[in-house]
Amino acid sequence: MEEDYIKLIFGLKLKQIRTEKNLSLFGLSKLSGLSKSYLNEIENGKKYPKPDKIALLSDKLEVPYDQMVSLRLDKNLAPIGELLQSKILKEIPLDLFGIKESNLIDIVANAPTKVTAFISTIIEIAHHYSFSKESFFLAAVRSFQEANNNYFDELEQQVLKFSKAYQVELTRSLTSKDLEEILTEEYGYTINDSELSKNEALGNLRSVLVPQTNTLLLANGIDESQRTFIFAKEIAYNYLEIKDRLHTFPWIKFQRFDQVLNNFYASYFAGALVIPKDDLTSQLETIFEKETFDEALFLQMLEGFNASPETFYQRLTNILPKAFNIKNLFFLRFTHKAGTEQFYLNKELHLSHQHSPRANETNEHYCRRWVSLRGLKEISKSKKPHEFGLQISHYPSHGTTYLVISSATKDPFRNNQYRSISIGLLMNKQLERKLKFLEDPTITRREVGVTCERCGIIDCEVRQAPSVILDKEAKNKKIERIVDELNARFQA
């Protein structure tokens, strides 16, 4: 355990003993002969007293010396002890969020009881929803993205420097061959297309890097855009000189937060390399200036980059806030198995504020009126390679409206599995100024809910469950209103 944490634990124990004996800092100073400022620094984890001072405090407070120096905390402070003894404060770079570790420790030291209750609550929620360390790390990265509007200029500049250094032309669509040559010639990679597919248990993996020999194992089922993205990500790890990294795609597990963050950096670099900012911005401007939505032109843009729909929509979340000042948006990825009514929201990002819809862990039924879910149902029946959808979705319960763009495709690595990628843009004055086609009468407009259990849309043709939660809330409001009326009547 680090020295700073040992100081803090001693300080917490001293403060707890003092308050239990109804002593102020002034009173303890008078009792022990130690200065009030010195005792305050001890309690705030700034100083650790020498043995003779600990013996003095032990004597005056009538607490055994061994109990005072023990790192064991009672049940009231145990959650803080667990936090301090864990590696979480070191694994998460607090400076990314503008937080100094010393400030966090000050908060713990100044309000240990309240912080303990808060930490206990978070731990209980995490256990209730089986919230793993990996989930926590991923949530922290999402918060980091949201705090920066998911745009990182330093990485954008690194892509431009790389393209100049390696003479990579960003005005044309990159191919996997372009990037494979750099990996093999510059970074000494060996590409193996056969070995990974020999292991059936690794069927969901697209790639595995063997770092000792720089051998990149690729799955047989990956298409050209996936291959290009994997190569671009490997280039990112090398060009950005990232050592603490993951070696599988998709990831299996994270050991440290830095691996999660570095995985994001490499993915961002890869997306910016495959879909250059200036090219994408120029094409979006053309589409946004039209009075009606040009679906053919949008799909031509999407398919013009050597990238999957997911990479393309992710890139939109980088460019729209920066180039068009469209900062209120969400990104969602749903998966669906054909022949079932189950839809899983397994990736999301919300910029500027927490939009609906969001993932829920209570087995509620997502609204079937969403364009993203409708696209999944349609593609699973039609067997088309790509199902595109556009919809203006109004949430009566929230008073918000979104322009939602969605693409559904088959999952090449899972039988009868499909996925949809969607981006929702909050309809407001800013969006109306940027997008000229919002009044296009051919765009589908629908009222939607979040989940069936919370939805008040009457006679919904695709409802999967009764609005039990909404009904309960309405019942409670009615009871509350009647109680207020009774109070008013009998007080009169």
Side-chain angles (χ1 to χ4, degrees):
M1 192 184 303
E2 295 195 12
E3 183 180 347
D4 288 346
Y5 295 162
I6 296 175
K7 291 178 185 177
L8 182 57
I9 287 175
F10 184 89
L12 290 172
K13 293 184 74 170
L14 178 61
K15 187 172 186 176
Q16 184 182 43
I17 294 167
R18 173 178 62 78
T19 53
E20 286 175 351
K21 293 183 178 293
N22 294 318
L23 278 171
S24 65
L25 270 175
F26 180 86
L28 181 57
S29 175
K30 285 288 187 182
L31 182 65
S32 65
L34 302 175
S35 72
K36 180 182 172 182
S37 60
Y38 177 64
L39 291 170
N40 185 56
E41 286 186 301
I42 293 174
E43 289 192 357
N44 286 325
K46 301 294 175 56
K47 288 187 176 179
Y48 192 88
K50 292 181 178 179
D52 61 321
K53 299 293 192 301
I54 297 175
L56 175 63
L57 290 168
S58 170
D59 178 56
K60 298 300 182 182
L61 292 170
E62 298 179 340
V63 175
Y65 183 97
D66 289 346
Q67 181 180 332
M68 292 200 70
V69 298
S70 170
L71 297 178
R72 180 175 295 177
L73 296 171
D74 66 21
K75 64 179 182 179
N76 292 328
L77 295 178
I80 289 181
E82 292 176 10
L83 177 69
L84 298 178
Q85 292 180 57
S86 72
K87 296 179 179 179
I88 195 165
L89 292 180
K90 288 299 179 187
E91 288 179 334
I92 297 178
L94 297 171
D95 57 293
L96 288 178
F97 302 94
I99 301 172
K100 292 184 178 179
E101 190 176 335
S102 58
N103 293 342
L104 193 63
I105 290 175
D106 283 344
I107 293 172
V108 174
N110 290 325
T113 303
K114 292 179 180 179
V115 174
T116 298
F118 175 73
I119 293 172
S120 297
T121 301
I122 297 299
I123 291 173
E124 184 176 344
I125 292 172
H127 287 163
H128 182 70
Y129 289 105
S130 299
F131 200 66
S132 65
K133 183 173 73 172
E134 288 86 354
S135 298
F136 178 80
F137 286 168
L138 290 169
V141 170
R142 283 199 302 273
S143 297
F144 177 53
Q145 292 176 256
E146 292 162 7
N148 290 276
N149 286 316
N150 204 29
Y151 182 83
F152 296 87
D153 191 62
E154 183 177 348
L155 291 173
E156 300 281 349
Q157 295 304 318
Q158 289 285 10
V159 168
L160 295 178
K161 290 178 182 178
F162 168 80
S163 66
K164 183 177 181 180
Y166 288 88
Q167 291 296 289
V168 175
E169 182 57 61
L170 296 181
T171 58
R172 66 175 182 84
S173 180
L174 287 178
T175 68
S176 61
K177 285 294 183 184
D178 297 327
L179 303 183
E180 182 176 352
E181 184 179 8
I182 296 173
L183 277 179
T184 56
E185 294 294 329
E186 181 70 11
Y187 298 115
Y189 271 56
T190 299
I191 310 300
N192 186 309
D193 294 286
S194 59
E195 188 64 31
L196 193 59
S197 301
K198 295 178 182 178
N199 297 276
E200 188 176 346
L202 304 180
N204 291 333
L205 294 181
R206 276 68 158 175
S207 68
V208 175
L209 177 70
V210 182
Q212 293 82 357
T213 59
N214 265 8
T215 301
L216 185 62
L217 310 178
L218 298 177
N220 280 336
I222 62 173
D223 59 24
E224 166 61 13
S225 64
Q226 290 172 328
R227 190 181 184 94
T228 302
F229 183 82
I230 291 170
F231 288 168
K233 197 170 176 180
E234 289 299 323
I235 285 174
Y237 279 128
N238 285 274
Y239 185 73
L240 299 176
E241 298 182 348
I242 295 173
K243 305 300 181 185
D244 195 4
R245 54 160 294 178
L246 304 172
H247 295 110
T248 65
F249 177 66
W251 61 272
I252 300 173
K253 68 175 182 178
F254 299 113
Q255 296 177 319
R256 293 170 295 279
F257 177 76
D258 280 352
Q259 292 178 337
V260 189
L261 187 62
N262 289 337
N263 179 68
F264 164 70
Y265 286 152
S267 297
Y268 189 105
F269 183 101
L273 180 60
V274 175
I275 306 178
K277 178 180 68 173
D278 291 345
D279 192 2
L280 178 58
T281 301
S282 175
Q283 294 190 56
L284 286 172
E285 286 174 345
T286 301
I287 292 172
F288 291 170
E289 285 298 320
K290 290 180 173 290
E291 295 293 331
T292 58
F293 180 74
D294 193 331
E295 180 177 327
L297 186 59
F298 184 89
L299 291 176
Q300 179 182 327
M301 173 180 62
L302 188 157
E303 295 163 1
F305 296 105
N306 187 13
S308 68
E310 180 167 353
T311 301
F312 177 79
Y313 281 77
Q314 284 272 24
R315 190 64 174 139
L316 289 181
T317 68
N318 306 140
I319 300 306
L320 291 176
K322 179 64 177 180
F324 299 93
N325 200 31
I326 299 173
K327 297 179 179 179
N328 285 286
L329 58 85
F330 63 76
F331 169 93
L332 305 175
R333 180 181 69 193
F334 279 95
T335 57
H336 168 65
K337 186 172 184 177
T340 72
E341 283 296 332
Q342 294 178 318
F343 298 87
Y344 299 97
L345 177 49
N346 48 31
K347 192 172 186 179
E348 59 182 320
L349 179 71
H350 300 262
L351 298 187
S352 287
H353 67 265
Q354 300 303 308
H355 307 272
S356 289
R358 295 188 60 83
N360 72 76
E361 301 289 343
T362 52
N363 296 319
E364 294 177 40
H365 297 77
Y366 296 113
C367 179
R368 299 311 198 254
R369 291 177 169 225
W370 295 343
V371 64
S372 50
L373 268 59
R374 190 171 68 247
L376 284 170
K377 293 287 285 186
E378 290 175 357
I379 195 170
S380 65
K381 294 176 181 178
S382 67
K383 307 301 181 184
K384 292 167 60 177
H386 183 185
E387 189 73 45
F388 177 78
L390 180 73
Q391 179 173 298
I392 293 178
S393 298
H394 176 61
Y395 289 81
S397 59
H398 292 73
T400 54
T401 304
Y402 293 88
L403 173 72
V404 185
I405 307 170
S406 180
S407 288
T409 59
K410 187 180 186 306
D411 187 333
F413 290 87
R414 295 178 175 88
N415 290 330
N416 296 320
Q417 293 272 4
Y418 299 85
R419 56 194 175 193
S420 71
I421 311 298
S422 304
I423 186 169
L425 313 179
L426 182 66
M427 298 274 283
N428 53 23
K429 294 296 183 182
Q430 174 66 19
L431 195 70
E432 291 171 4
R433 286 194 293 268
K434 296 296 181 180
L435 277 61
K436 305 299 184 186
F437 60 76
L438 292 181
E439 298 298 325
D440 184 351
T442 64
I443 299 177
T444 301
R445 288 164 167 80
R446 298 198 80 182
E447 288 195 343
V448 300
V450 179
T451 64
C452 295
E453 288 81 354
R454 302 171 188 270
C455 181
I457 297 176
I458 301 173
D459 299 326
C460 176
E461 73 283 2
V462 289
R463 180 179 287 280
Q464 300 294 306
S467 55
V468 290
I469 295 178
L470 191 69
D471 294 343
K472 183 178 179 180
E473 291 175 352
K475 182 180 179 180
N476 289 339
K477 286 182 180 179
K478 183 178 180 180
I479 293 172
E480 184 180 352
R481 178 176 54 81
I482 294 172
V483 169
D484 289 342
E485 291 174 355
L486 288 171
N487 284 332
R489 192 199 321 166
F490 283 98
Q491 286 175 1

